[in-house]
Amino acid sequence: MAYARWKHILIESQRHALKAVDEWNCSSGNYSDFLTHMHKAWHYLLHAEFHMAKIDYHYKDAQTGQHKLIDGEAKAWHLEWCLKQRYTNSADPVRLNAELFVALRNKVEHRYEHNLKIVTGGKAQALVMNCEQEMVDHFGPAFSLADRLRFPIALQTLTAEGQAQLQEAAKKLPKKPRDLVAKFEASIESDVLDDMKYDYRVRLVPIVGKRNDADLAVNFVNLDELTDDEHAVMTKAGRTGTVITKVKHVETMNREKLRASDVAKRVEAELPFHFSLYGEHTEMWRRLNIRPAKDAPDPCITDARYCIYDEPVSTYLYTDAWVKKIIKEIGTVEKYRKFFGKDPRMKKVTTLPKQAEPAHDHRPIGKTA
């Protein structure tokens, strides 16, 4: 069947996207092949868009104005240039996500592929989903890949033991490839780094209760369609990537944990102004939402990075990370003023009065008055 040129290019993009996902999901798949196929999928997709819009996406000689040729064919724009033309905002999370994987494709070393795959998992998910969204937005739902992709069965991401293995493997990623990602993200604003179009992270919550025929193994929740209460619960749940194995509360062991009064003392010791337990500390845990209020129905719903609930003694305990978090948030007068909307109570500087030097006694030794 004869298709328009743009459709032939688009079909090639789809083929590479599916191959990339197969490489990612296959237990023996190759990370470099995933990068290569997604690179081509995006490249062909943007070429299809330009072709359909009658945009000339080929390089021209600056002097002659003629197309540059390779083996007799006009040289098409490379992916980085295509991304810049499609997404003119250099801070666009979709563009930044794709540019990161262009850099990874050019630099990745085969011996580090497994570790790098673990570290960039959320970003790879975003890369594929962005490609799918771009395809549907420009060419319609008929070109969606959703009916050809399935949720993979992956023990490592669904058990606590598997999660521990992933975290250990991520720690072993050598400095060189780790620095590549770190340097790329160094100049990116935090709100862009947290954007799901740049790094798509999910929390899996088992579905319990009676199912119906319309249920799927995986249901996606659109935050914009939730009530305010539902949105608050889901947003809090999404702040950490904890693996859920069964319904249970977070840890309650108090080893190496701090009482609130200890937190206040340690923070104040580091600051040039006062930090009170029932004033600043209480307001901070409320506003940063690290633990529920005293009368909450479930006291165990905390941000375990900073706080846990000790059930045997019915109290909240805090971590060293919480102390560091507080100091980072309000550690200067300017930060304190911005956070609390008021000036801090500065500590008084106390110095001993300078003592007068004793008058010299010029009388000979042994002489008394």
Side-chain angles (χ1 to χ4, degrees):
M1 180 178 180
Y3 291 131
R5 174 64 178 160
W6 65 263
K7 192 169 183 179
H8 282 287
I9 301 173
L10 183 60
I11 290 173
E12 190 66 5
S13 171
Q14 291 181 315
R15 187 179 72 83
H16 281 290
L18 291 170
K19 287 287 290 181
V21 175
D22 287 344
E23 285 293 336
W24 183 278
N25 290 337
C26 179
S27 60
S28 58
N30 186 288
Y31 185 64
S32 289
D33 287 345
F34 166 80
L35 296 177
T36 297
H37 284 297
M38 278 310 302
H39 186 103
K40 291 181 177 180
W42 265 105
H43 206 182
Y44 281 120
L45 173 58
L46 295 181
H47 281 184
E49 289 183 21
F50 297 149
H51 195 93
M52 188 180 190
K54 302 188 183 318
I55 296 173
D56 187 357
Y57 53 94
H58 299 88
Y59 291 107
K60 291 184 178 181
D61 187 284
Q63 295 181 341
T64 66
Q66 299 298 313
H67 285 144
K68 293 182 178 181
L69 303 179
I70 296 181
D71 297 330
E73 296 288 336
K75 182 182 178 182
W77 293 344
H78 55 68
L79 178 55
E80 286 178 287
W81 187 249
C82 289
L83 289 167
K84 290 177 180 178
Q85 304 312 303
R86 168 63 185 86
Y87 303 98
T88 55
N89 179 5
S90 61
D92 189 295
V94 176
R95 170 176 159 178
L96 287 169
N97 173 269
E99 287 177 336
L100 171 62
F101 281 95
V102 170
L104 287 171
R105 178 176 179 261
N106 294 338
K107 298 289 186 180
V108 66
E109 297 181 41
H110 292 291
R111 56 183 169 157
Y112 302 142
E113 286 184 9
H114 175 68
N115 308 72
L116 199 56
K117 181 178 180 181
I118 293 170
V119 171
T120 61
K123 298 174 178 64
Q125 179 72 42
L127 182 71
V128 175
M129 294 185 70
N130 292 341
C131 186
E132 154 81 359
Q133 191 65 54
E134 181 78 5
M135 202 173 293
V136 172
D137 287 347
H138 280 267
F139 301 101
F143 290 94
S144 171
L145 300 174
D147 63 333
R148 282 169 277 180
L149 299 177
R150 304 290 183 271
F151 182 74
I153 297 174
L155 295 178
Q156 278 190 312
T157 56
L158 296 178
T159 66
E161 294 76 13
Q163 181 73 1
Q165 290 181 3
L166 291 178
Q167 292 172 344
E168 189 62 30
K171 292 178 183 177
K172 294 179 180 178
L173 183 64
K175 186 176 185 298
K176 185 177 179 180
R178 188 185 298 276
D179 283 352
L180 188 154
V181 178
K183 289 178 180 178
F184 182 88
E185 295 184 339
S187 61
I188 301 176
E189 296 293 334
S190 59
D191 58 336
V192 177
L193 293 176
D194 292 337
D195 194 304
M196 289 194 296
K197 292 180 181 178
Y198 179 77
D199 192 353
Y200 192 95
R201 294 165 294 171
V202 297
R203 169 174 290 209
L204 300 177
V205 181
I207 299 174
V208 296
K210 186 177 180 180
R211 74 180 300 276
N212 59 57
D213 293 338
D215 282 344
L216 299 175
V218 178
N219 291 325
F220 288 91
V221 177
N222 186 339
L223 293 179
D224 294 334
E225 297 177 355
L226 301 178
T227 66
D228 291 342
D229 290 342
E230 291 171 336
H231 191 284
V233 171
M234 294 299 292
T235 299
K236 179 174 176 59
R239 286 200 177 106
T240 59
T242 306
V243 174
I244 297 177
T245 54
K246 62 181 179 180
V247 178
K248 62 180 181 181
H249 294 310
V250 296
E251 60 170 307
T252 59
M253 294 180 64
N254 61 10
R255 183 169 59 89
E256 298 181 356
K257 299 297 188 293
L258 304 169
R259 291 175 299 178
S261 58
D262 296 324
V263 172
K265 290 177 183 177
R266 287 180 54 174
V267 171
E268 177 151 350
E270 297 292 327
L271 302 179
F273 43 78
H274 293 289
F275 182 86
S276 68
L277 171 61
Y278 297 107
E280 287 92 347
H281 184 254
T282 299
E283 186 170 350
M284 287 197 75
W285 64 249
R286 282 176 178 167
R287 287 176 57 180
L288 296 178
N289 201 27
I290 74 154
R291 50 158 280 196
K294 185 177 180 180
D295 56 350
D298 187 350
C300 296
I301 303 177
T302 68
D303 185 333
R305 296 173 298 174
Y306 305 122
C307 177
I308 59 101
Y309 183 68
D310 192 333
E311 287 185 295
V313 294
S314 301
T315 191
Y316 288 97
L317 299 175
Y318 303 86
T319 65
D320 286 332
W322 176 232
V323 175
K324 295 176 182 177
K325 174 75 170 173
I326 293 174
I327 295 172
K328 180 180 179 181
E329 292 286 338
I330 63 155
T332 66
V333 172
E334 292 75 17
K335 288 183 177 180
Y336 182 101
R337 188 182 294 122
K338 182 178 180 180
F339 188 93
F340 292 108
K342 62 182 181 180
D343 290 327
R345 295 171 295 117
M346 303 302 296
K347 296 176 181 176
K348 293 182 179 179
V349 179
T350 58
T351 57
L352 293 175
K354 186 176 181 180
Q355 296 182 351
E357 295 182 6
H360 291 290
D361 190 340
H362 298 289
R363 288 175 296 179
I365 296 175
K367 298 289 184 178
T368 60

